[in-house]
Amino acid sequence: MNTKHTIPSDEDLTAFIDGELPAEEAARIEALVSEDESVAERLEFLARANLPFAQAFAPLLSEAPREKLEGMLAAIPEQKSAKSASALPIVIRRGFLGALAASLVAGITIDRAVIGIGRGFSAKDENSEWRAVVAEYISLYTPETLTGPVPEREVQAAQLASLNEKLGLSLSLEAVLLPGIDFKRALLLQYDGKPLAQIAYLDPETGPMALCIVTSDAGRKPPDLENRKGMNVVYWSNAMHAFMLIGHATADKMMAIADGVRERSAV
């Protein structure tokens, strides 16, 4: 069977990101990324997700010819389209020396075409990336995901206190309790090496809902609305944190809920 146009699986794309594919297969995926927008978008999502990249490359990095790799990186001509040196491709953000080491082992040449793909990824709004990852994750939730009794108030308070401590927040339980919507759990996740707070709710009318928070230096921004994975997202930020409320309720209802959280918590 001719596999030239076969869409790669998530496993193949993850292996490509981690530099674990043979040169021929890696070249095929590079071509697909350039030709097929859906493949490029999926690769971008997997690249930005919190995959165990550092652990995977730890043995390679310990043995990699660092001086040679740094020389290769320095020798790559700077593209005119790059806005600044900080606009680094995704492979750099995930550990470019590790990617180069793995590429050498696999016999793959990292050239300007690959660098270009990375710059294309990084050109998007950096503050929207985490919302895309959260939306992908929450889209997997069903009402059954959050079945079970509502935790006791003491348990809810303890879970919220842990999030406050990890992210430097001062949210009260009253601020995040939503009228008519069950507070199911508050847990700490991680995105791009930073703690991500998630408070999961179950709306009896529309299903799973979540309030998620990360640290951010993007500055204060008023609430705005977007749609991701068929869900409505209200997002805003203050001086230190970015917030998003995501769920299947109508846009008006989501905005009203977000306004209530903001008023009760002054965020």
Side-chain angles (χ1 to χ4, degrees):
M1 181 178 68
N2 186 355
T3 61
K4 181 178 181 180
H5 299 293
T6 301
I7 300 300
S9 65
D10 283 0
E11 289 77 10
D12 290 339
L13 291 175
T14 300
F16 173 76
I17 293 168
D18 290 348
E20 297 175 350
L21 290 180
E24 181 178 352
E25 180 64 9
R28 183 182 77 85
I29 291 180
E30 286 178 22
L32 282 172
V33 169
S34 300
E35 299 168 0
D36 191 323
E37 183 177 354
S38 65
V39 176
E41 289 178 352
R42 189 61 184 169
L43 180 66
E44 176 181 2
F45 169 75
L46 292 171
R48 296 206 186 281
N50 186 32
L51 301 175
F53 185 82
Q55 296 177 7
F57 280 117
L60 290 174
L61 285 173
S62 65
E63 301 175 3
R66 181 172 292 272
E67 291 184 4
K68 180 178 179 180
L69 297 178
E70 290 177 341
M72 291 171 62
L73 177 59
I76 297 174
E78 183 175 340
Q79 294 190 7
K80 294 182 180 180
S81 61
K83 293 183 179 179
S84 68
S86 63
L88 296 175
I90 189 72
V91 287
I92 290 180
R93 294 178 61 222
R94 290 170 58 83
F96 190 57
L97 290 179
L100 281 176
S103 298
L104 288 176
V105 171
I108 303 170
T109 301
I110 300 291
D111 60 13
R112 283 174 293 177
V114 179
I115 300 300
I117 291 173
R119 284 204 171 99
F121 290 164
S122 295
K124 295 185 178 181
D125 176 12
E126 291 286 333
N127 204 40
S128 72
E129 296 165 9
W130 78 282
R131 299 198 303 271
V133 173
V134 169
E136 186 81 18
Y137 182 70
I138 299 298
S139 70
L140 301 177
Y141 280 21
T142 69
E144 288 73 23
T145 307
L146 300 171
T147 54
V150 174
E152 295 291 336
R153 188 179 181 86
E154 292 77 12
V155 174
Q156 295 175 340
Q159 293 177 352
L160 184 61
S162 177
L163 299 187
N164 281 334
E165 179 183 359
K166 294 294 184 182
L167 278 85
L169 293 162
S170 57
L171 294 173
S172 67
L173 189 56
E174 289 71 20
V176 297
L177 290 177
L178 307 182
I181 299 174
D182 291 338
F183 178 124
K184 302 298 288 190
R185 65 189 182 214
L187 67 160
L188 185 69
L189 304 173
Q190 180 174 289
Y191 167 73
D192 206 18
K194 299 188 298 183
L196 187 159
Q198 180 196 102
I199 304 174
Y201 304 90
L202 185 59
D203 183 346
E205 296 180 357
T206 63
M209 184 180 296
L211 174 65
C212 300
I213 310 164
V214 294
T215 56
S216 172
D217 57 4
R220 294 184 179 276
K221 293 184 180 179
D224 204 348
L225 184 71
E226 64 185 1
N227 188 277
R228 292 182 181 271
K229 306 296 289 186
M231 294 173 287
N232 287 312
V233 179
V234 182
Y235 62 97
W236 69 96
S237 61
N238 60 20
M240 298 178 60
H241 299 91
F243 302 79
M244 66 178 285
L245 179 73
I246 180 170
H248 299 272
T250 64
D252 288 344
K253 181 176 179 178
M254 294 294 290
M255 188 65 78
I257 293 172
D259 286 344
V261 172
R262 294 178 65 241
E263 291 172 4
R264 293 190 298 273
S265 61
V267 296

